[in-house]
Amino acid sequence: MKFHLLAGASLASLAAVTAALPAHAYEASALAASVAVAGEVVHGRVTNAAGDALPGAEVIVRATGQRAVTNTQGEFDLVLPTGTAVLDVRYIGQPSATQTVSVVQGGTEVSIMLGAGEAATVSDVIVTGVITDGVARSLNQQKNADGTVNVLSADAIGRYPDPNVAESLQRVQGIAIQRDQGEGRYINVRGAPSAFTAVSVDGVQVPAVDPGTRAVDLDTLPSDIVANIEVSKTLLPSQEADSIAGAVNIKTRSPFDRRRLAVSGYAGGSYNDYGGSDTRAGATASNVFADQTFGALLSVSYSETNRRPDNVENAWVKEEQNGADVFVLEETLFKDYETKRTRQAVTGALEWRPTDDFRAYLRGSFAQFEDDEYRNTLGLIYSDGTLQPGATNTSATYTGARITRQLRHRTQKNDITTLVAGGEETFDNGAVWDASLSWADSEQTYPNRNELLYRSSATTLSYNTTDHYMPTYSVFSDATGFYRDPTKFSFRENTFRENSTKQEDVAFRTNFELPSQFAGRDVTWKFGAKFNSREINADEQRYRNRASSASPGTLASVLSDRASRNYDYDLGFKFDADLADAYFASARAASPIRLPDSIAADYTAQEDILAGYAQARFDMGATNVIIGLRVENTKFDGEAAALIDNDGSDPYDMAKVSRDDTEFFPNLTLRHSFSDNLIGRFALTRSISRPEFSQIVPRRIEETDGSNISYEIGNPDLQPTLSNNIDVGLEYYFTSLGVVSANAFYKDLTDYRYILKYTEAFGADGEADFETPINAPDGHLAGLELNLQRKFDFLPGLLSGFGVFANYTWTDAEIKTAQSYGGRDTFSLPGQSDSNYNAALFYEMAGFSARLSYTKRGDYLEEINADDADLDLYVEGREQLDFTTSYDFGNGVELFGEAKNLTDSAGVRYYGSRERTYEYEKFGYNIFVGVRFKL
């Protein structure tokens, strides 16, 4: 029913626009409707006075209003009759230009340079400086895009202290990030879950590295490999439909960006407040050869980050005391981290352009993220003891509790590889055909996931959480020093885990674009098809040994003389990492495999998607219209091992799931120019978010951490989430440099999938936590994005170098479940913050630039607890203040500095109320100094 309503609304809206604008009328302005033309192809390129390409420039044929927009290399194509044509070129931040072109048979090539020898008016401003040039590139592409698009250029990205793509995207209106140990990892676009956003590199969709989600770990991709990032918040029929929130396309550099020998790079180092020093470096070299018909590019990047964040985690439970419910701790973990994170990336491109009508390319990228982590943990296990009378919501005492000492050495590697070969040909009639074959591979492995655990004898423990960020714990005030006495502890267990997940995606895509005349007006038809096949293989082995013979000796024998601290808590001495690693190497072979978990955790799956679309693009007055339909057929097959009996004869069988689904995605996209500077947008679209692979396959795996036993259960009946979307926007672009805009959106969600968490009795005398994905029949996500970017060029003298960036996003969302949980059937959307905003003040003058930037997102729900709303898990809103500065000496050398997280903001999660803190983690500030060069 919702699909039919959307399709009907699309057709009705188109009919209304058609009725309002006569078919053969066009305005006298340059944005008037185009008349029928037939003739020759005009290939053009727009550059600034320095010869740099200007992407997003608008090229208008003065006589007819025919319109083209330059691509990332500043290129455009028009089909014009032979003779003389006058082209008007507009680009925010450069004086407009006019060029007369003689169109001849066989095609015409034209070069247009802006800002050189132009008779600029008072209102014309030629942008200079890296910040303003980056802003101009972004704004022009955004302004002239068919749909609602935000663009980040490489120059703009380089002016923030953002080492990875996730942190770069947090500066875009409507985008917030989720962090791991202070670094951005996932993005939430418009308040939607991270899995609602597809990520591509050079148009190649990237499979996720984490087996538990379709969301791409964007901390794997360094920001310095990027030419620009496009965020499409409204999709066109030619784009994949699996991006309810928006699609992110990361474009790497091309040798034809500069069309000469070009070498650039940077290097620098930093100091971490919570950790050691960091290093980052990168370089790019490119050139064109053979009379500029062949180009080659190579880019490399490397970074190393050392961090030692402070972290305390608390697990809460509700207990009855004197007839009333109170919240008490069942576990507290003090985690002392020492991590080394490295990122390395390589991108390359070979491009062949023997004529203006044909081009072929081969592009590839490889990115690797490695996290080598040692974690010393002091655990207070209250649940092993007995809660004493008198407990309150902030204090409790347990007798018979235990203390644990644990070392975990974990190494995680994420690899993302993309390779795409393709070509494009423009025919004499202006038709364009392109095709590409791509391969993408994502892999996550844990070569080391080793743990050594000691446990104390029974003791009495109490706490007070009146200061919920820094509670007091009796263990640290115990005069006997119980937790510091190694003789109170005995070997409990060793555990080992090996797991790898590999996703491989092969895709073929082709498109055909044909300009023609239909019903008295110019219409550009576009048709295309895509087939991609993705294979997923997850393999895991788990081992555990609790035999006394597996002990490496007393606790004292494996401790070092290095103090372990967490905030102001003295945790005793750290484990000796070298001794522990030697023990792990010798004990691994003798540790028994854990069944059935080692088998049940494995799964394989294959997803094949066949898609086709047709769309028409035409102008009606000053309104650009795109209407079309996309169809996608999805076939999914998956299997996992299932436990069917416990008699030992044949306990496992393969549980399989097969699905075949076809969905239709109608589309109506309007762009209306009220004037040269005022742009209105409207879109009716439909999109999809397919379930995570690990959630569909029928399996149950254990995810126990410490004394908490938990299971994840698959759901073969889980349905994809579908969304019918309405988007409305108004954007005003300042003639000099800037924009003020407002964009509203509403997404009607069907079968939103969420994780349900509940607790049940388990084993002889205990209980376990269970998690399973299920669908909510209805839901919605609505919001408003406000954005302001402005250079204060109207101020006198040195003050004209100031400018401001500011954006604010408000969202409202909820889901309605099929059944009631704890008396509730309506919930907030997990991952959705009510508000999110950025603000930055910049200054740029005579080679000097500086930017002070601030970002903040509100609290958001992370997990729903089916048993008790007071135990829903939330992430507390976080703010961050950053500063960057640089000085360009004018000879291609630039010094720069960055200061990050000057507010020393913490990462906090809590259960139901902020007083019930689950995790409190601090990362400290970071100061980075380096040099850039460009030849």
Side-chain angles (χ1 to χ4, degrees), residues 53 59 108 243 269 341 457 469 591 650 736 893:
V59 184
T108 302
S243 292
R341 293 182 169 181
S457 55
Y469 290 144
S591 189
D650 186 17
S736 55
V893 177

Side-chain angles (χ1 to χ4, degrees), residues 392-431:
T392 69
N393 287 326
T394 58
S395 64
T397 298
Y398 288 83
T399 58
R402 294 179 184 268
I403 303 173
T404 60
R405 297 291 307 274
Q406 181 194 63
L407 176 72
R408 184 182 74 173
H409 182 196
R410 187 203 69 176
T411 305
Q412 174 189 342
K413 285 186 178 180
N414 295 343
D415 293 343
I416 295 177
T417 308
T418 65
L419 186 65
V420 56
E424 178 183 302
E425 183 168 5
T426 303
F427 299 95
D428 292 342
N429 63 351

Side-chain angles (χ1 to χ4, degrees), residues 306-571:
N306 295 277
R307 291 180 179 269
R308 295 180 177 87
D310 285 348
N311 179 289
V312 177
E313 294 183 10
N314 295 295
W316 291 82
V317 66
K318 184 182 287 186
E319 296 284 357
E320 184 177 324
Q321 288 278 290
N322 297 324
D325 289 332
V326 297
F327 293 95
V328 295
L329 295 180
E330 59 178 355
E331 181 179 84
T332 297
L333 302 177
F334 301 87
K335 298 180 177 181
D336 183 0
Y337 289 95
E338 292 182 290
T339 67
K340 182 174 76 171
R341 293 182 169 181
T342 57
R343 291 182 186 86
Q344 47 193 336
V346 180
T347 64
L350 298 174
E351 298 187 35
W352 183 44
R353 302 186 180 187
T355 69
D356 291 331
D357 298 320
F358 178 79
R359 64 187 62 184
Y361 58 85
L362 176 67
R363 299 191 187 102
S365 68
F366 171 77
Q368 183 181 81
F369 169 84
E370 181 174 340
D371 185 357
D372 192 0
E373 172 188 285
Y374 288 90
R375 187 186 74 185
N376 281 263
T377 302
L378 175 70
L380 308 181
I381 315 302
Y382 308 107
S383 58
D384 281 355
T386 302
L387 178 65
Q388 298 302 294
T392 69
N393 287 326
T394 58
S395 64
T397 298
Y398 288 83
T399 58
R402 294 179 184 268
I403 303 173
T404 60
R405 297 291 307 274
Q406 181 194 63
L407 176 72
R408 184 182 74 173
H409 182 196
R410 187 203 69 176
T411 305
Q412 174 189 342
K413 285 186 178 180
N414 295 343
D415 293 343
I416 295 177
T417 308
T418 65
L419 186 65
V420 56
E424 178 183 302
E425 183 168 5
T426 303
F427 299 95
D428 292 342
N429 63 351
V432 180
W433 172 80
D434 70 83
S436 65
L437 179 66
S438 64
W439 172 77
D441 180 89
S442 292
E443 187 170 359
Q444 182 177 83
T445 59
Y446 285 88
N448 296 308
R449 204 166 182 175
N450 312 327
E451 297 182 5
L452 174 60
L453 178 68
Y454 283 78
R455 188 174 67 174
S456 78
S457 55
T459 187
T460 298
L461 296 175
S462 61
Y463 64 83
N464 187 301
T465 62
T466 301
D467 182 349
H468 57 276
Y469 290 144
M470 296 296 293
T472 58
Y473 303 90
S474 64
V475 66
F476 299 118
S477 60
D478 184 358
T480 66
F482 184 93
Y483 79 100
R484 297 180 62 92
D485 185 354
T487 64
K488 303 293 187 183
F489 293 79
S490 59
F491 171 77
R492 173 58 174 168
E493 66 181 25
N494 64 44
T495 60
F496 301 92
R497 292 175 66 177
E498 303 171 1
N499 56 302
S500 65
T501 304
K502 183 179 179 67
Q503 297 192 34
E504 190 172 17
D505 189 289
V506 177
F508 174 76
R509 179 203 309 258
T510 184
N511 302 282
F512 183 72
E513 189 172 307
L514 177 66
S516 68
Q517 190 179 69
F518 181 78
R521 68 173 72 253
D522 282 347
V523 177
T524 299
W525 302 95
K526 192 172 183 179
F527 310 91
K530 181 184 179 183
F531 175 76
N532 73 284
S533 180
R534 183 174 299 183
E535 293 185 358
I536 305 97
N537 287 279
D539 180 62
E540 184 168 339
Q541 304 295 327
R542 304 185 181 196
Y543 307 87
R544 181 172 66 191
N545 198 339
R546 290 180 171 177
S548 59
S549 59
S551 173
T554 65
L555 177 59
S557 68
V558 291
L559 293 180
S560 69
D561 59 358
R562 299 170 58 219
S564 178
R565 299 194 65 85
N566 213 331
Y567 301 106
D568 293 327
Y569 304 118
D570 182 357
L571 308 182

Side-chain angles (χ1 to χ4, degrees), residues 856-877:
K856 183 176 182 179
R857 72 172 301 183
D859 295 14
Y860 62 90
L861 176 66
E862 186 171 69
E863 290 181 356
I864 296 171
N865 188 292
D867 303 317
D868 194 336
D870 290 323
L871 293 177
D872 287 345
L873 182 59
Y874 288 85
V875 178
E876 187 174 294

Side-chain angles (χ1 to χ4, degrees), residues 104-185:
V104 299
Q105 289 187 349
T108 302
E109 184 176 352
V110 60
S111 297
I112 303 173
M113 184 179 295
L114 302 186
E118 297 286 344
T121 67
V122 175
S123 62
D124 288 326
V125 175
I126 300 177
V127 299
T128 58
V130 180
I131 292 179
T132 48
D133 185 57
V135 173
R137 291 172 182 272
S138 299
L139 291 183
N140 280 280
Q141 293 175 79
Q142 174 180 308
K143 174 190 175 187
N144 294 313
D146 290 318
T148 302
V149 175
N150 296 127
V151 179
L152 277 175
S153 71
D155 293 332
I157 291 171
R159 265 42 199 181
Y160 287 110
D162 301 330
N164 67 55
V165 169
E167 298 203 11
S168 297
L169 286 169
Q170 72 177 316
R171 314 294 177 178
V172 176
Q173 62 264 33
I175 299 184
I177 63 174
Q178 297 172 239
R179 298 178 181 269
D180 180 73
Q181 293 191 2
E183 293 187 296
R185 171 161 293 177

